[in-house]
Amino acid sequence: MHSYFIWTIGCQMNQAESEKISERLRGHGYIEAPSINDADIVIVNSCVVRKHAEDKVINKLHNLKPLKKAKPNLRIILTGCFVDQDSNELRKQYPYVDDFLKPGEFPDWLPPKDHPIKTSARSAVSAYIPIIQGCNNFCTYCIVPYRRGREKSRTMAEIVTEVEQLAQIGIREVTLVGQNVDSYGHDLPEKPDLAMLLTQLNQIKELARIRFLTNHPKDMSPRLIEAMRQQNKVCRQINLPVQSGDDEILRAMHRGYQIADYYALINRLRQAMPDIAITTDIIVGFPGESEHQFHNTCRVLEELRFDAVHVASYSPRIGTYAASHFADNVEPAIKKARLNTVETLQEQIAREINSSFLGQTLEVLVDGMNKGRWQGRTRSDKTVFFGGTDILQGKVVNVTISKTGPWSFQGTLAPRINTC
């Protein structure tokens, strides 16, 4: 029996696509190998959004060369955003790679096959569901539109059917993913939107929770906010990347909003749902970013107080507008210092926000075991660890929080267990 191993790096869309590849391979009788050295097929699902990620992909490809030499029949597949429209140059650089697939593609020798959907590779509890591919925004720092193309939505019927099938085999939570989920449906004849899709999915009885990402501040509609407020299975938690707190930098990034617009959107979300948890993304060291502009970003963090911040240093991506038009003129040491400043500031903010949950009893969806303790997430996506002797994976339980920190909670299982 043939086996496969999938190495994935990058965003949730990559993880979702790796799950799809795994599902199709299993449908053709392949089994998942325990390690990359034991596999007959190795799939590298790549990311080039940051230089650090790209370097990891290159290192992984170099490490596969001796493995291919030792196992000539090994099939190596490269997919993800490392693969551009013309793979000829990649074939010259990596002649030992057998297939080069654009993001979301499958090899010709692996056609669709009717078979029951199996549990998600992420866990037996949660699954990522791609709803829209590509992006039309062309932020100046981002390579995604050039590698994944323009926005293309899946039909609502196709998505609903997939989620229904997953729910029937035990998936309790789905996360709808896309480069910009707020644009979902605009390219379809019926012009559905994300609010309509959430309303439909909310009716699936076996499903417990719905999340979605990534969002774009300029595209988030009042209809979507209202759907989040009304639909009980939609978690009141959202990632809303601001990227910078300075209007001049936002214009250079081609983000399509000013910081005042972002503040207004955050206020609308919190007025509609006072308990909403909001996370964001920040890029430090964008070309030309002054100390004053960086402090504007810190002020946004201090004033808006996010539950979590994902921060990265700017790195030029060949093929983007910023790489060809802006000098990468912020010194690496300054980028690192600014990144550390954001991380330190956000750690304190998260610690203060999370301390308010001490003593509360929260609803937790149990993902599985971690070092002998149960691990799960609240509806606001806080990670909780707690003890228990019963088999709780996939259940929604109540946990009383006994210890908080900036990254996770500790707790004890409350008497009542929800079985929904």
Side-chain angles (χ1 to χ4, degrees):
M1 185 175 290
H2 293 296
S3 62
Y4 68 92
F5 187 92
I6 304 178
W7 183 85
T8 306
I9 189 173
C11 66
Q12 290 85 352
M13 180 65 85
N14 272 17
Q15 295 178 51
E17 289 168 350
S18 288
E19 290 174 9
K20 292 292 184 185
I21 294 171
S22 178
E23 181 185 313
R24 187 169 292 192
L25 284 164
R26 292 196 304 268
H28 283 267
Y30 289 84
I31 61 171
E32 188 170 359
S35 75
I36 201 167
N37 294 323
D38 298 315
D40 300 303
I41 298 174
V42 172
I43 300 102
V44 175
N45 197 347
S46 62
C47 174
V48 294
V49 170
R50 308 275 181 240
K51 186 177 186 303
H52 181 63
E54 183 176 4
D55 289 343
K56 283 189 173 183
V57 173
I58 292 171
N59 288 338
K60 179 59 65 176
L61 289 172
H62 285 322
N63 291 339
L64 285 173
K65 186 175 182 179
L67 184 61
K68 177 76 169 186
K69 187 175 182 180
K71 297 172 62 176
N73 292 329
L74 173 69
R75 188 156 205 148
I76 300 174
I77 301 171
L78 176 62
T79 187
C81 288
F82 197 84
V83 182
D84 56 19
Q85 301 299 317
D86 183 3
S87 61
N88 289 331
E89 188 60 36
L90 285 175
R91 293 182 188 279
K92 293 177 184 177
Q93 289 181 272
Y94 308 102
Y96 50 91
V97 174
D98 298 281
D99 297 291
F100 296 86
L101 306 176
K102 288 183 289 186
E105 285 188 343
F106 293 95
D108 294 338
W109 50 268
L110 195 65
K113 188 173 183 179
D114 292 334
H115 63 284
I117 290 182
K118 299 184 181 180
T119 54
S120 158
R122 179 158 69 120
S123 74
V125 176
S126 306
Y128 291 120
I129 309 295
I131 66 169
I132 183 171
Q133 177 75 259
C135 186
N136 292 355
N137 282 311
F138 289 91
C139 299
T140 59
Y141 54 81
C142 186
I143 194 66
V144 167
Y146 304 96
R147 297 299 169 88
R148 289 186 175 268
R150 296 298 183 96
E151 292 168 354
K152 185 177 180 181
S153 302
R154 296 173 67 193
T155 67
M156 197 155 70
E158 181 183 357
I159 296 166
V160 171
T161 297
E162 180 179 357
V163 175
E164 286 175 338
Q165 291 175 338
L166 288 169
Q168 288 169 7
I169 61 166
I171 294 297
R172 307 305 313 283
E173 175 188 85
V174 294
T175 301
L176 312 179
V177 296
Q179 276 68 45
N180 181 11
V181 290
D182 300 328
S183 291
Y184 171 75
H186 73 93
D187 56 321
L188 297 175
E190 304 84 2
K191 296 293 187 290
D193 61 11
L194 184 54
M196 293 173 61
L197 179 58
L198 293 176
T199 302
Q200 283 280 89
L201 295 177
N202 198 76
Q203 299 172 29
I204 298 175
K205 182 179 178 182
E206 298 86 357
L207 200 61
R209 292 179 180 176
I210 305 166
R211 304 183 192 272
F212 55 92
L213 53 83
T214 296
N215 298 274
H216 196 296
K218 77 175 181 61
D219 295 324
M220 192 167 199
S221 69
R223 275 176 50 82
L224 178 55
I225 295 173
E226 183 61 14
M228 287 186 70
R229 189 185 70 82
Q230 289 186 350
Q231 306 305 321
N232 66 309
K233 294 180 181 179
V234 178
C235 293
R236 293 183 174 182
Q237 174 265 327
I238 194 166
N239 179 253
L240 196 61
V242 65
Q243 303 299 9
S244 173
D246 183 83
D247 283 341
E248 187 176 348
I249 295 295
L250 289 175
R251 281 193 295 272
M253 289 178 168
H254 194 225
R255 290 292 288 170
Y257 55 85
Q258 295 183 331
I259 200 63
D261 303 320
Y262 188 87
Y263 270 68
L265 178 55
I266 295 294
N267 288 336
R268 285 198 297 273
L269 282 162
R270 286 177 171 162
Q271 286 172 5
M273 296 164 285
D275 58 341
I276 192 170
I278 303 176
T279 63
T280 198
D281 298 353
I282 294 289
I283 296 174
V284 298
F286 189 79
E289 183 186 61
S290 67
E291 198 67 24
H292 173 72
Q293 290 169 325
F294 171 67
H295 284 307
N296 285 343
T297 296
C298 292
R299 185 170 65 249
V300 169
L301 302 186
E302 291 169 344
E303 293 178 350
L304 293 183
R305 295 178 63 81
F306 298 99
D307 289 73
V309 172
H310 312 110
V311 58
S313 297
Y314 170 78
S315 59
R317 305 287 78 205
I318 295 174
T320 63
Y321 185 92
S324 59
H325 290 76
F326 302 148
D328 183 18
N329 55 5
V330 179
E331 293 295 327
I334 295 176
K335 290 181 182 178
K336 184 176 181 180
R338 291 177 181 175
L339 186 144
N340 291 339
T341 297
V342 169
E343 289 181 333
T344 301
L345 172 61
Q346 179 55 34
E347 180 177 352
Q348 181 59 35
I349 292 170
R351 189 182 301 277
E352 293 169 359
I353 290 173
N354 290 349
S355 67
S356 67
F357 291 94
L358 186 64
Q360 292 190 29
T361 298
L362 305 178
E363 180 190 279
V364 175
L365 175 60
V366 185
D367 295 321
M369 293 290 288
N370 186 315
K371 298 180 180 178
R373 306 196 77 198
W374 288 109
Q375 173 181 317
R377 286 168 299 124
T378 67
R379 291 180 68 87
S380 58
D381 209 30
K382 312 283 187 183
T383 300
V384 182
F385 299 95
F386 62 98
T389 56
D390 294 334
I391 303 301
L392 300 177
Q393 182 161 324
K395 292 186 178 296
V396 178
V397 303
N398 292 323
V399 177
T400 302
I401 305 304
S402 57
K403 184 179 179 181
T404 65
W407 321 125
S408 64
F409 297 160
Q410 304 282 339
T412 56
L413 189 64
R416 184 174 65 87
I417 298 178
N418 298 325
T419 58
C420 63

